[in-house]
């Protein structure tokens, strides 16, 4: 089957998401138009790509503002089909947040937030939307000399709680403080992890272990406190986090008095380095690491036992004649005590593929460029574009395989 036939075959499973046949066809047309559109991805330009420049555009705008359908259900058939390429017991899912820039002042969900591209010596602010994305890490290196491919399986808008004004009463201020505790990035991470566990079970992966790979922003008490069942949290930790072992002997104390940090573990000469091979950058490379099991993070994970993995600085050269440079070491904390360290490290190294997704979604496909301001339309149209991008990645995998053949 060709690439278009594979894409339409995947999109055919979206029929149950939409309430009517005509809304289903309109949604597929917009999804396909967002992929082949040239220039800025406004909704009107997408309609022009489909040949609808001489028709009324109201129905296409009403698809997002009035039609009742759950955009997150578009990823279910993608997860079900892509799960066949994940034969291992551990299924890696990378989770990260991203920002879509906006200029309209009438968008309720838009707010000023930190620009991640700002220099470290000067903080810049940018007006935009905040989304949290989950991408399934498909280990294609098991089928050929190619790297892992990340398929988006979740793209959810995460807006902040609006701060009350100066004339707000004390009761309104109290409600705002309570709402911030319930609606933040960490709580959204926990809720998304629970939803992904349910969807993985429905897709046929009940016997698989879900590995949620995140960066340092999800290494906190909230995320470690509510890990879903049959799931493992793998996050990057601070080098100065205060860790300890459990108190031994007949002491009533739970935590030992002696504290240590991940950096001290790396610098400890009594702990030997272990080696393993990870597929990264087109070939299998040897890396060094240390691991310490049954550690406790009193302020971050309370009495949940964790596993510390320390990655040694990786040497590299810019050119063959230049001197040897070293990348920064990495410190990982995970709740998977009995899982294979090699598989966990492979998932951690593959996590950067979600950054590739963000780059292609925003720069190549123009996700977030549609000019919508309705409170219902704003979080739905970008999800449709990301689902079309994920379906395209899966269609290319089904049509051409994992290797770069003649079609590439």
């Amino acid at each position: 089957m060709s690439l278009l036939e594979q894409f339409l075959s995947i999109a055919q499973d979206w029929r149950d998401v939409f309430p009517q046949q005509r809304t289903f066809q309109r949604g597929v047309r917009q999804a396909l138009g967002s992929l082949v559109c040239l220039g800025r991805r406004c909704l009107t330009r997408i309609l022009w790509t489909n040949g609808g420049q001489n028709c009324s555009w109201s129905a296409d705008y009403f698809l997002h503002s009035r039609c009742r359908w759950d955009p997150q259900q578009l990823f279910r058939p993608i997860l079900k089909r892509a799960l066949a390429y994940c034969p291992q017991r551990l299924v890696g899912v990378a989770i990260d947040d991203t920002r879509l820039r906006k200029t309209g002042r009438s968008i309720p969900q838009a707010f000023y937030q930190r620009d991640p591209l700002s220099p470290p010596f000067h903080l810049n602010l940018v007006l935009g939307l905040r989304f949290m994305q989950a991408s399934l890490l498909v280990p294609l290196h098991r089928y050929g000399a190619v790297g892992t491919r990340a398929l988006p399986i979740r793209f959810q808008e995460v807006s902040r709680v609006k701060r009350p004004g100066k004339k707000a009463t004390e009761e309104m201020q109290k409600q705002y403080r309570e709402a911030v505790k319930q609606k933040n990035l960490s709580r959204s991470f926990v809720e998304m992890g629970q939803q992904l566990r349910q969807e993985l079970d429905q897709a046929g992966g009940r016997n698989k272990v879900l590995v949620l790979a995140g960066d340092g922003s999800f290494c906190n008490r909230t995320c470690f406190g509510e890990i879903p069942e049959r799931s493992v949290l793998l996050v990057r930790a601070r080098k100065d986090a205060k860790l300890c072992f459990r108190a031994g002997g007949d002491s009533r104390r739970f935590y030992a008095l002696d504290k240590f940090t991940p950096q001290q573990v790396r610098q400890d000469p009594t702990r030997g380095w272990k080696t393993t091979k990870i597929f990264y950058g087109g070939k299998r490379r040897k890396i060094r690491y240390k691991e310490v099991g049954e550690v406790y993070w009193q302020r971050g994970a309370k009495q949940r036992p964790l596993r510390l993995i320390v990655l040694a600085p990786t040497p590299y050269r810019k050119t063959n004649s230049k001197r040897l440079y070293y990348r920064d070491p990495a410190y990982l904390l995970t709740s998977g005590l009995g899982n294979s360290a090699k598989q966990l490290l492979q998932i951690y190294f593959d996590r950067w593929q979600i950054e590739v997704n963000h780059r292609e979604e925003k720069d190549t496909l123009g996700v977030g460029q549609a000019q919508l301001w309705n409170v219902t339309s704003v979080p739905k149209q970008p999800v449709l574009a990301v689902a079309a991008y994920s379906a395209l990645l899966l269609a290319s995998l089904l049509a051409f395989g994992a290797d770069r053949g003649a079609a590439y």
Side-chain angles (χ1 to χ4, degrees):
M1 298 176 65
S2 64
L3 180 63
L4 180 59
E5 291 174 342
Q6 291 286 1
F7 178 84
L8 295 178
S9 176
I10 299 173
Q12 188 64 33
D13 296 336
W14 294 350
R15 175 60 188 88
D16 297 335
V17 179
F18 297 91
Q20 296 178 342
Q21 178 67 20
R22 59 181 182 181
T23 55
F24 161 69
Q25 295 177 353
R26 189 171 293 115
V28 174
R29 283 199 301 266
Q30 287 193 21
L32 188 60
S34 63
L35 297 176
V36 300
C37 178
L38 301 178
R40 186 172 178 84
R41 258 66 171 191
C42 301
L43 190 57
T44 54
R45 189 184 290 269
I46 293 176
L47 300 179
W48 274 64
T49 304
N50 297 330
Q53 62 270 22
N54 297 323
C55 303
S56 175
W57 297 342
S58 300
D60 291 276
Y61 279 92
F62 291 160
L63 176 68
H64 305 287
S65 60
R66 296 186 181 182
C67 183
R68 295 183 179 180
W69 55 283
D70 186 6
Q72 303 300 331
Q73 295 183 4
L74 300 175
F75 299 104
R76 290 185 177 180
I78 299 175
L79 175 60
K80 186 175 182 180
R81 297 191 182 206
L83 200 60
Y85 292 91
C86 303
Q88 292 181 327
R89 186 169 178 267
L90 299 184
V91 177
V93 174
I95 301 181
D96 198 4
D97 62 305
T98 183
R99 295 160 180 81
L100 304 181
R101 298 196 177 208
K102 287 292 184 179
T103 57
R105 300 303 178 93
S106 301
I107 303 175
Q109 295 93 334
F111 64 97
Y112 283 98
Q113 47 194 314
R114 176 185 176 274
D115 186 5
L117 299 180
S118 59
F121 55 84
H122 189 278
L123 176 63
N124 295 332
L125 300 178
V126 58
L127 179 66
L129 306 174
R130 185 174 64 183
F131 281 80
M132 183 175 290
Q133 176 175 325
S135 296
L136 178 67
L137 302 177
V138 182
L140 298 183
H141 53 82
R142 298 177 57 89
Y143 306 95
V146 292
T148 299
R149 182 175 299 176
L151 303 182
I153 56 175
R154 202 80 180 177
F155 195 73
Q156 188 171 351
E157 188 262 336
V158 184
S159 60
R160 70 169 187 176
V161 181
K162 187 176 181 181
R163 183 186 295 272
K166 297 181 179 179
K167 298 181 179 180
T169 61
E170 183 63 27
E171 182 65 23
M172 297 176 61
Q173 294 285 354
K174 182 179 179 181
Q175 294 177 359
Y176 166 74
R177 289 191 294 268
E178 293 296 330
V180 168
K181 297 179 182 180
Q182 299 298 328
K183 295 183 180 180
N184 51 50
L185 204 60
S186 299
R187 293 298 310 174
S188 301
F189 179 89
V190 172
E191 295 174 0
M192 180 174 290
Q194 297 173 352
Q195 296 169 358
L196 291 174
R197 180 67 262 182
Q198 297 176 1
E199 294 179 359
L200 185 61
D201 294 343
Q202 297 175 1
R206 185 174 298 273
N207 297 327
K208 295 182 178 296
V209 177
L210 177 64
V211 180
L212 303 174
D215 56 6
S217 59
F218 304 114
C219 185
N220 53 52
R221 182 182 303 179
T222 302
C223 298
F224 274 113
E226 301 184 33
I227 302 176
E229 58 178 358
R230 291 171 286 122
S231 302
V232 172
L233 181 60
L234 177 65
V235 291
R236 189 161 184 165
R238 295 169 55 96
K239 64 180 180 181
D240 57 351
K242 299 297 183 181
L243 306 177
C244 66
F245 294 106
R246 186 167 182 175
D250 298 333
S251 174
R252 298 175 56 184
R253 182 184 299 273
F254 185 87
Y255 305 102
L257 293 178
D258 296 334
K259 307 289 184 179
F260 60 91
T261 63
Q263 187 177 17
Q264 292 175 351
V265 173
R266 180 179 65 87
Q267 297 173 350
D268 188 0
T270 61
R271 298 183 181 273
W273 292 96
K274 300 180 181 180
T275 59
T276 186
K277 285 190 176 181
I278 299 297
F279 192 91
Y280 185 78
K283 64 179 182 180
R284 300 195 177 276
R285 305 175 186 273
K286 183 182 295 186
I287 64 170
R288 299 187 305 150
Y289 70 97
K290 293 182 181 180
E291 59 177 340
V292 183
E294 295 287 342
V295 301
Y296 294 91
W297 186 19
Q298 185 174 356
R299 298 190 60 183
K302 296 185 178 180
Q303 296 185 4
R304 178 186 293 273
L306 301 177
R307 183 180 180 183
L308 173 64
I309 302 178
V310 179
L311 290 177
T314 305
Y316 71 97
R317 299 180 187 273
K318 294 184 177 180
T319 60
N320 293 332
S321 60
K322 294 293 184 179
R323 72 180 184 90
L324 198 63
Y325 295 90
Y326 287 89
R327 291 185 174 91
D328 293 335
Y331 309 97
L332 309 178
L333 282 178
T334 177
S335 60
L337 300 179
N339 301 112
S340 172
K342 181 177 181 180
Q343 296 183 20
L344 292 176
L345 289 175
Q346 183 66 64
I347 293 175
Y348 169 74
F349 275 83
D350 293 339
R351 185 199 164 273
W352 74 277
Q353 288 288 340
I354 195 174
E355 306 295 342
V356 178
N357 291 156
H358 291 165
R359 178 67 179 268
E360 292 180 344
E361 290 164 2
K362 292 187 286 188
D363 291 356
T364 306
L365 300 180
V367 175
Q369 294 180 359
Q371 296 176 338
L372 301 170
W373 59 268
N374 185 274
V375 66
T376 307
S377 303
V378 169
K380 292 175 69 174
Q381 196 278 334
V383 181
L384 179 61
V386 173
Y389 164 66
S390 181
L392 178 63
L393 293 178
L394 180 59
S396 64
L397 183 61
L398 296 175
F400 308 128
D403 296 328
R404 294 179 174 179
Y408 178 83

